[in-house]
């Protein structure tokens, strides 16, 4: 009896040991699968997803495919890729599109063209591509077409996603990770101030306009040189100001080197012409006026094939860019361009003395013991040449047309007006003509020593008894005379006075008003109007001087009393 009980006890113990071994085996196997899954970074898979049978392994693989497909679908529904800045005579558009569709099939892509190129760009996907892929790649002509309805003339009507990613020519997309990251960045890192002025972080809702854009540089960009410019627009003075700043600065109004731009489509719809050329410079100026913030993303895209290696294609591209910038400044009514940057002269290895030296724009934070970084200011004036008409145009009631637009005289016109005045001053002083600064120019000289920002001419009065001393004025009495420096001397048709213009075509100039001294009175000699008001000769005996445009210019004595007498104060 005792023997039977002992055998039963041993059997029970054996069964318990076997059961524990089986339980340990399956627990160990389950833990092993968890470790493998975490190593492979399988996202969001639960412990119940890992089982032992081959059919369960197949389910795991299909689950991964579904998650990848959902990720692709989210990117396709959120972003449209747009190519804008490329050239028909040399580009890498087809290869760039192929690299995108290889990673993201059926990705919506729009290629904007200024005009229909010839020969036309035909994109033919390989034989394995589906019809949907070919349909998603659209080539859009931005030129005017009278056969199109007004809806099709709006290029933004083809973009049906919340965001658009403007991609430059020649890109290679290796994975979708960077697209997911920039999409997460623009969706989550949104700051809004409450009533107390405290910043709170928000997530982007589908109906909200995200008033920021993400700048994604390319891996081939130079690291030590300026990546950003700060833009200052002074539209009343027809001026735009560029200043090189650090790439990481929040003042990055314009990114210089190769990059892509992710922006909300709703922001583009608030701009008058967001994708006009030159792109993206014109877009950045509009973004500046619309207070769109920028963020330079720390990761980069990969470059594609190198373009414009040959001299003739490089020169052709440069000529096109110059025309585009000229048209842009004309559209924006910009007449003065100021550039401030740190530059270094890089010596070329060429032995040709006529070979130009390269001026490299450095980042303002760049430092090196081998380089000096002077801050260089360059000023370019547009318009008002000898062969172009004056920007002043029609003057009505002593006011030019731009005054009614809330603007001052264009700086190019002021510059040519100063040149004409200095030329006359040199002529009068060389031959000994007695003159004095008069009227509005005299008033601004007393107040600011400078020319009025609204000035469109300068009045210089002179003693008519000295007229014969100037050969230019003598010759211009009978017919217009062009002197050796190209200035145009003419006798005015609305009175007996003279006018010196910058050229025959460019009519910006200086009025020469003849006065004669008769006893104790100075009166106009042959011309009329409010400028011809007679005054006492005591104002001219003796003469005085006033600082004007950096020089001491002759003027009447007791100048303030003289201006009050002429009702100019």
């Amino acid at each position: 009896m005792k023997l039977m009980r002992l055998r039963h006890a041993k059997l029970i113990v054996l069964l318990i040991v076997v059961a524990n071994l089986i339980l340990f085996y399956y627990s160990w196997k389950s833990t092993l699968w968890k470790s493998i899954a975490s190593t492979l970074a399988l996202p969001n898979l639960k412990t119940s997803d890992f089982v032992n049978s081959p059919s369960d392994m197949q389910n795991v693989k299909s689950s991964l495919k579904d998650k990848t497909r959902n990720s692709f679908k989210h990117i396709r529904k959120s972003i449209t890729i747009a190519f804008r800045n490329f050239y028909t005579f040399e580009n890498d558009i087809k290869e760039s599109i192929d690299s995108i569709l290889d990673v993201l099939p059926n990705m919506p892509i729009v290629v904007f063209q200024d005009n229909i190129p010839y020969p036309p760009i035909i994109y033919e996907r390989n034989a394995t591509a589906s019809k949907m892929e070919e349909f998603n790649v659209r080539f859009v002509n931005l030129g005017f077409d009278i056969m199109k309805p007004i809806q099709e003339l709006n290029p933004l009507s083809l973009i049906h996603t919340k965001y658009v990613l403007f991609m430059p020519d020649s890109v290679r997309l290796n994975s979708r990770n960077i697209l997911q990251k920039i999409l997460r960045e623009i969706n989550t890192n949104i700051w809004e101030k409450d009533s107390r002025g405290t910043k709170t972080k928000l997530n982007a809702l589908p109906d909200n306009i995200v008033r920021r854009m993400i700048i994604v540089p390319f891996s081939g960009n130079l690291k030590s040189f300026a990546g950003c410019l700060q833009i200052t627009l002074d539209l009343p003075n027809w001026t735009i100001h560029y200043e090189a700043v650090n790439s990481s600065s929040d003042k990055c109004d314009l990114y210089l080197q190769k990059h892509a731009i992710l922006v909300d489509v709703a922001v583009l719809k608030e701009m008058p012409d967001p994708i006009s050329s030159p792109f993206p410079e014109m877009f950045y100026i509009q973004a500046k006026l619309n207070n769109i913030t920028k963020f330079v993303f720390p990761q980069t895209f990969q470059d594609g094939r190198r373009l414009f290696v040959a001299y003739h294609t490089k020169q052709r591209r440069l000529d096109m860019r110059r025309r585009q910038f000229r048209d842009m400044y004309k559209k924006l009514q910009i007449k003065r361009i100021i550039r401030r940057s740190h530059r270094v002269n890089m010596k070329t290895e060429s032995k040709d003395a006529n070979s130009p030296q390269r001026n490299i724009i450095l980042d303002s934070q760049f430092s090196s013991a081998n380089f000096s970084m002077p801050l260089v200011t360059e000023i370019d004036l547009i318009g008002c040449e000898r062969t172009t008409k004056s920007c002043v145009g029609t003057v009505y009631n002593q006011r030019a047309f731009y005054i009614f637009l809330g603007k001052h005289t264009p700086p190019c016109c002021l510059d040519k007006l100063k040149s004409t005045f200095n030329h006359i001053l040199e002529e009068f002083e060389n031959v000994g003509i007695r003159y004095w600064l008069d009227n509005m120019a005299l008033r601004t000289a007393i107040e600011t020593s400078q020319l009025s920002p609204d000035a469109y001419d300068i009045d210089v009065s002179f003693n008519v008894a000295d007229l014969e001393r100037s050969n230019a004025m003598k010759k211009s009495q009978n017919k217009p005379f062009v002197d050796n420096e190209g200035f145009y001397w003419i006798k005015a048709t609305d009175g007996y006075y003279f006018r010196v213009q910058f050229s025959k075509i460019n009519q910006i100039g200086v009025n020469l008003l003849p006065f004669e001294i008769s006893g104790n009175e100075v009166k106009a000699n042959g011309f009329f109007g409010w400028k011809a008001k007679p005054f006492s000769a005591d104002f001219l005996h003796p003469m005085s001087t006033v600082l004007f445009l950096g020089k001491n210019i002759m003027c009447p004595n007791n100048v303030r009393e003289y201006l009050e007498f002429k009702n100019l104060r």
Side-chain angles (χ1 to χ4, degrees), residues 1-15:
M1 196 70 178
K2 291 182 178 179
L3 183 61
M4 289 295 295
R5 289 178 180 175
L6 184 60
R7 287 178 179 177
H8 287 162
K10 289 181 178 180
L11 182 61
I12 292 172
V13 171
L14 181 62
L15 290 174

Side-chain angles (χ1 to χ4, degrees), residues 81-83 91-102 109 165-175 178-179 216-219 258-260 300-307:
I81 294 180
F83 287 91
N91 60 73
D92 191 46
I93 286 294
K94 295 181 182 180
E95 292 80 0
S96 298
I97 295 175
D98 283 338
S99 72
I100 295 172
L101 294 181
D102 289 340
I109 298 176
L165 177 63
F166 287 107
M167 194 76 78
D169 193 4
S170 189
V171 61
R172 295 296 181 267
L173 188 65
N174 298 326
S175 70
I178 189 170
L179 295 181
V216 188
F218 273 67
S219 58
K258 185 177 180 181
H259 65 284
T300 59
F301 281 118
Q302 295 298 317
D303 292 272
R305 178 168 58 89
R306 186 181 176 188
L307 301 175

Side-chain angles (χ1 to χ4, degrees), residues 515-531:
F515 281 85
E516 63 177 341
I517 301 177
S518 178
N520 196 36
E521 186 181 45
V522 181
K523 57 183 180 181
N525 183 267
F527 70 98
F528 47 87
W530 69 271
K531 296 179 182 180

Side-chain angles (χ1 to χ4, degrees), residues 295-315:
F295 175 72
V296 181
F297 199 68
Q299 297 186 12
T300 59
F301 281 118
Q302 295 298 317
D303 292 272
R305 178 168 58 89
R306 186 181 176 188
L307 301 175
F308 308 109
V309 178
Y311 173 80
H312 68 279
T313 57
K314 187 184 300 183
Q315 192 64 34

Side-chain angles (χ1 to χ4, degrees), residues 164-218:
V164 58
L165 177 63
F166 287 107
M167 194 76 78
D169 193 4
S170 189
V171 61
R172 295 296 181 267
L173 188 65
N174 298 326
S175 70
R176 71 182 189 278
N177 292 338
I178 189 170
L179 295 181
Q180 291 176 320
K181 290 178 181 179
I182 62 175
L183 190 58
R184 190 183 305 118
E185 172 69 31
I186 200 170
N187 278 332
T188 57
N189 294 342
I190 301 174
W191 298 90
E192 187 177 88
K193 289 185 178 180
D194 56 16
S195 57
R196 299 179 180 179
T198 305
K199 285 187 176 181
T200 56
K201 200 172 184 179
L202 304 175
N203 290 332
L205 299 177
D207 296 334
N208 289 350
I209 299 178
V210 180
R211 307 193 66 81
R212 70 194 297 256
M213 62 187 190
I214 309 299
I215 299 170
V216 188
F218 273 67

Side-chain angles (χ1 to χ4, degrees), residues 39 78 80 144-145 150 157 216 220 300 328 376 397 431 457 491:
T39 303
S78 301
T80 297
F144 176 74
D145 188 348
I150 189 171
S157 62
V216 188
T300 59
M328 180 186 76
V376 179
N397 197 21
V431 298
D457 62 7
K491 186 177 179 182

Side-chain angles (χ1 to χ4, degrees), residues 33-235:
W33 276 108
K34 284 183 181 180
S35 177
I36 294 173
S38 61
T39 303
L40 296 176
L42 299 177
N44 301 325
L45 292 180
K46 298 179 181 178
T47 306
S48 59
D49 294 333
F50 296 95
V51 289
N52 303 322
S53 63
S55 60
D56 292 334
M57 288 294 298
Q58 187 66 28
N59 291 336
V60 171
K61 293 180 180 179
S62 62
S63 177
L64 289 174
K65 290 181 179 179
D66 291 340
K67 291 181 180 297
T68 303
R69 191 179 299 110
N70 290 335
S71 176
F72 288 165
K73 188 176 180 181
H74 175 64
I75 294 176
R76 288 195 299 265
K77 285 189 174 182
S78 301
I79 299 175
T80 297
I81 294 180
F83 287 91
R84 176 65 185 94
N85 191 18
F86 74 99
Y87 299 88
T88 57
F89 54 88
E90 184 175 354
N91 60 73
D92 191 46
I93 286 294
K94 295 181 182 180
E95 292 80 0
S96 298
I97 295 175
D98 283 338
S99 72
I100 295 172
L101 294 181
D102 289 340
V103 177
L104 294 169
N106 301 334
M107 187 71 184
I109 298 176
V110 181
V111 182
F112 293 111
Q113 306 168 118
D114 287 319
N115 295 293
I116 299 176
Y118 189 82
I121 299 176
I122 301 175
Y123 177 72
E124 296 178 353
R125 190 68 165 151
N126 55 32
T128 59
S130 64
K131 294 182 179 179
M132 183 61 70
E133 286 179 344
E134 295 181 0
F135 181 74
N136 282 346
V137 180
R138 297 187 178 184
F139 288 79
V140 181
N141 177 26
L142 297 177
F144 176 74
D145 188 348
I146 199 170
M147 300 300 293
K148 288 183 179 180
I150 189 171
Q151 295 83 0
E152 294 184 15
L153 291 176
N154 180 15
L156 299 181
S157 62
L158 298 173
I159 301 176
H160 305 292
T161 54
K162 180 172 178 59
Y163 301 106
V164 58
L165 177 63
F166 287 107
M167 194 76 78
D169 193 4
S170 189
V171 61
R172 295 296 181 267
L173 188 65
N174 298 326
S175 70
R176 71 182 189 278
N177 292 338
I178 189 170
L179 295 181
Q180 291 176 320
K181 290 178 181 179
I182 62 175
L183 190 58
R184 190 183 305 118
E185 172 69 31
I186 200 170
N187 278 332
T188 57
N189 294 342
I190 301 174
W191 298 90
E192 187 177 88
K193 289 185 178 180
D194 56 16
S195 57
R196 299 179 180 179
T198 305
K199 285 187 176 181
T200 56
K201 200 172 184 179
L202 304 175
N203 290 332
L205 299 177
D207 296 334
N208 289 350
I209 299 178
V210 180
R211 307 193 66 81
R212 70 194 297 256
M213 62 187 190
I214 309 299
I215 299 170
V216 188
F218 273 67
S219 58
N221 293 350
L222 299 174
K223 307 301 180 184
S224 300
F225 302 111
C228 287
L229 291 179
Q230 183 180 1
I231 301 175
T232 303
L233 279 169
D234 186 3
L235 296 180

